[in-house]
């Protein structure tokens, strides 16, 4: 009496996957069973890889979005990073700067995560087709080096922008001097910083071209008021009047909210053949030094007129032109 092998074993080799036997048991189709690995198993694995990749990307993006969110306090994404903002910055400005910085860093992290997740997913998909990844990775490295040399300015802009964000060198609303351009920062991107100068001109500055940054809006600023008086004036009296007027004005609106410390009279700053220049300074909120300077000058000028402290030149006479006989 002879026995026969099960029908499935006559079509599926010993080293074939279990998909072959399962599909043959379900369909009794030998061709479909023999190609079940390519037609069913491989597409299902690829689909699973794609789904896991998108799900991972979605979860990580949601986490970054939550960390970047501001609810009246510093975003959690920025808490491990250094922040150069002082208490002198107004709450609204500080919140806007933090929000813009968190959004930019969050956008970068999301892009990096998307790139890494999809690259690894692509590698796993190629493995399902039996592709040898070693030569592919080596080729990708060579192409990456070539692109890096070709786009080195772009890479430098992005890296510079990233470090500016991490180090909090400046933010939206800060008054900065970037060399050839200076003004109020309107947007801070990874490649370009946009600022508007005092004339209303918008400047687009590539981050890779910024060699130094002068920020007048971090912590506090100093309002410097130079007061020219005539040689015939009582200098001690002029200093006393300026100090008294500035101290009184700093305690009243609108200066009281901007002046952080009592104004200080430094004394004689410069002496020329025509003028004695006194200098007075005041520690103020960042970005408010120019407004404070203008108001203090107006108050001191009024007080000098009342105290009969003479200006360098008599009223109604213009300053002499260069080369004019004195």
């Amino acid at each position: 009496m002879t026995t026969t092998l099960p029908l499935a074993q006559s079509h599926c080799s010993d080293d074939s996957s279990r998909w072959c036997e399962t599909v043959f048991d379900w369909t009794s189709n030998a061709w479909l069973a023999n190609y079940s690995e390519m037609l069913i198993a491989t597409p299902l694995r690829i689909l699973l890889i794609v789904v896991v990749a998108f799900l991972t990307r979605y979860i990580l993006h949601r986490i970054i979005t939550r960390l970047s969110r501001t609810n009246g306090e510093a975003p959690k994404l920025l808490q491990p990073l250094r922040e150069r903002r002082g208490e002198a910055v107004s709450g609204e400005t500080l919140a806007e700067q933090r929000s813009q910085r968190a959004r930019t860093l969050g956008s970068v992290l999301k892009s990096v995560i998307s790139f890494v997740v999809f690259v690894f997913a692509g590698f796993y998909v190629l493995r399902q087709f039996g592709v040898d990844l070693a030569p592919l990775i080596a080729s990708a490295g060579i192409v990456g080096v070539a692109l890096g040399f070709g786009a080195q300015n772009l890479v430098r802009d992005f890296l510079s922008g990233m470090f500016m964000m991490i180090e909090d060198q400046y933010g939206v609303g800060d008054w900065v001097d970037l060399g050839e351009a200076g003004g109020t920062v309107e947007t801070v991107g990874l490649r370009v910083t946009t600022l508007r100068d005092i004339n209303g001109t918008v400047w687009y500055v590539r981050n890779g071209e910024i060699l130094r940054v002068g920020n007048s809006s971090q912590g506090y600023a100093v309002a410097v008021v130079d007061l020219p008086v005539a040689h015939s004036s009582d200098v001690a009296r002029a200093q006393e009047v300026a100090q008294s007027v500035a101290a009184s004005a700093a305690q009243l609106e609108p200066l009281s909210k901007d002046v952080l410390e009592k104004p200080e009279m430094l004394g004689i700053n410069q002496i020329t053949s025509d003028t004695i220049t006194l200098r007075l300074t005041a520690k103020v909120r960042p970005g408010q030094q120019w407004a404070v300077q203008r108001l203090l000058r107006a108050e001191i000028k009024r007080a000098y007129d009342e105290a009969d402290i003479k200006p360098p030149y008599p009223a109604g006479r213009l300053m002499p032109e260069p080369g004019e006989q004195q």
Side-chain angles (χ1 to χ4, degrees):
M1 182 176 180
T2 61
T3 60
T4 60
L5 294 173
L7 185 59
Q9 294 184 8
S10 63
H11 295 283
C12 299
S13 60
D14 294 338
D15 60 348
S16 61
S17 69
R18 60 188 180 198
W19 280 95
C20 180
E21 297 180 3
T22 302
V23 170
F24 188 78
D25 290 340
W26 288 354
T27 64
S28 300
N29 188 316
W31 181 87
L32 186 61
N34 288 331
Y35 288 96
S36 61
E37 181 71 22
M38 182 180 65
L39 297 178
I40 301 177
T42 299
L44 285 178
R45 283 196 290 265
I46 292 175
L47 179 61
L48 179 61
I49 292 171
V50 172
V51 170
V52 170
F54 274 97
L55 185 60
T56 302
R57 174 181 176 272
Y58 172 77
I59 293 174
L60 293 177
H61 279 208
R62 289 281 295 177
I63 293 174
I64 293 175
T65 300
R66 288 181 176 272
L67 294 177
S68 304
R69 190 172 300 161
T70 56
N71 295 319
E73 57 184 13
K76 294 182 179 179
L77 183 64
L78 302 182
Q79 291 179 0
L81 303 178
R82 180 180 181 182
E83 185 172 78
R84 302 177 186 270
R85 313 291 158 188
E87 295 181 357
V89 181
S90 63
E92 183 178 351
T93 301
L94 183 60
E96 181 182 1
Q97 292 173 346
R98 286 172 171 173
S99 177
Q100 200 272 349
R101 185 184 179 204
R103 286 198 307 268
T104 304
L105 290 176
S107 176
V108 174
L109 291 177
K110 288 179 181 179
S111 299
V112 171
I113 286 174
S114 296
F115 176 79
V116 172
V117 169
F118 288 139
V119 165
F120 275 95
F123 285 161
Y124 279 108
V125 169
L126 292 176
R127 286 184 59 183
Q128 302 307 312
F129 293 104
V131 177
D132 186 6
L133 297 181
L136 185 62
I137 294 175
S139 301
I142 296 174
V143 173
V145 172
L147 290 176
F149 278 110
Q152 54 183 326
N153 288 335
L154 184 63
V155 173
R156 183 173 63 178
D157 292 341
F158 273 91
L159 290 178
S160 298
M162 190 67 182
F163 280 109
M164 287 177 184
M165 286 288 179
I166 293 175
E167 296 171 359
D168 194 23
Q169 296 181 9
Y170 52 80
V172 174
D174 286 354
W175 179 275
V176 297
D177 180 359
L178 302 182
E180 296 185 0
T184 304
V185 178
E186 293 195 339
T187 60
V188 181
L190 285 178
R191 195 181 71 85
V192 172
T193 294
T194 305
L195 52 88
R196 187 180 299 272
D197 66 16
I198 194 171
N199 297 317
T201 303
V202 178
W203 294 85
Y204 298 91
V205 185
R206 284 175 43 204
N207 294 331
E209 297 296 323
I210 299 175
L211 301 180
R212 51 103 172 148
V213 177
N215 194 329
S216 301
S217 303
Q218 284 185 349
Y220 66 89
V222 176
V224 180
V225 181
D226 287 334
L227 306 168
V229 297
H231 280 272
S232 60
S233 299
D234 185 343
V235 175
R237 174 65 175 159
Q239 294 183 36
E240 180 183 348
V241 170
Q243 173 72 46
S244 175
V245 170
S248 299
Q251 297 177 358
L252 303 175
E253 291 288 346
L255 292 179
S256 60
K257 67 178 184 301
D258 293 326
V259 179
L260 303 178
E261 294 181 1
K262 182 180 179 180
E264 179 182 3
M265 170 56 71
L266 301 183
I268 298 175
N269 184 64
Q270 186 179 22
I271 298 178
T272 67
S273 59
D274 303 309
T275 307
I276 297 177
T277 303
L278 308 178
R279 173 161 292 183
L280 180 141
T281 62
K283 187 176 179 180
V284 300
R285 292 185 181 275
Q288 301 302 315
Q289 58 268 39
W290 300 285
V292 172
Q293 288 170 184
R294 288 190 291 269
L295 291 172
L296 288 179
R297 287 193 190 103
E299 292 295 323
I300 295 173
K301 171 62 170 62
R302 179 187 55 77
Y304 275 5
D305 290 342
E306 294 177 355
D308 197 28
I309 298 175
K310 301 298 184 182
Y313 301 98
R317 181 186 170 195
L318 297 177
M319 292 181 60
E321 296 292 335
E324 180 183 342
Q325 295 293 330
Q326 298 289 320

